[in-house]
Amino acid sequence: MIDVLIQSVFKNYKMKNPIKIKLFILGLGSNLKKLKKMVFDYGLNEYVFFSIIKDRKLLSKWYFNLDIYIHITKGETLSTSILRAMSHGIPIVASNVGGMNELILKKGECGYLTKNDPKNILSSVKKIIKNKKNFNILSKNGLKKVL
């Protein structure tokens, strides 16, 4: 599903008035080589970055550098990654699957649920980025929910 996120960034920068976004991908996946090629082919090297964190103690620092946490998946019941992001006060954009709706949203409580396609992901990201008051509410609600 990371390829869908990369396509979202590509779609954004092809628009007339793109929003300034950078995508930070954490972890090693079996498709890493393919995904890096996709980033290169789309000309997104200055907007998409891959990271590996071997020391779990540094994970918190990684989260603190994020403005929004995006979790796109085909199916998941409970995500510890989303809980970690919420505990850092980061608004969430996540796939509308499984237990995500209970964890994240009651009509935009801690973030937005989205379909797994670039247009909808980008729309959810824009809702958060373009409204500072909304960003702060989502952030506070996420903290309250997990603490």
Side-chain angles (χ1 to χ4, degrees), residues 14-27:
K14 287 293 180 190
M15 294 170 41
K16 186 176 181 180
N17 294 311
I19 54 174
K20 288 185 177 184
I21 56 174
K22 291 185 179 180
L23 178 63
F24 295 91
I25 301 166
L26 181 63

Side-chain angles (χ1 to χ4, degrees), residues 2-3 5-6 9 22-29 32 35-36 39 47-53 62 66:
I2 300 296
D3 58 328
L5 289 176
I6 294 169
V9 174
K22 291 185 179 180
L23 178 63
F24 295 91
I25 301 166
L26 181 63
L28 290 172
L32 185 62
L35 294 171
K36 285 185 174 185
V39 168
Y47 305 111
V48 179
F49 305 91
F50 295 89
S51 304
I52 301 166
I53 296 179
W62 185 82
L66 303 179

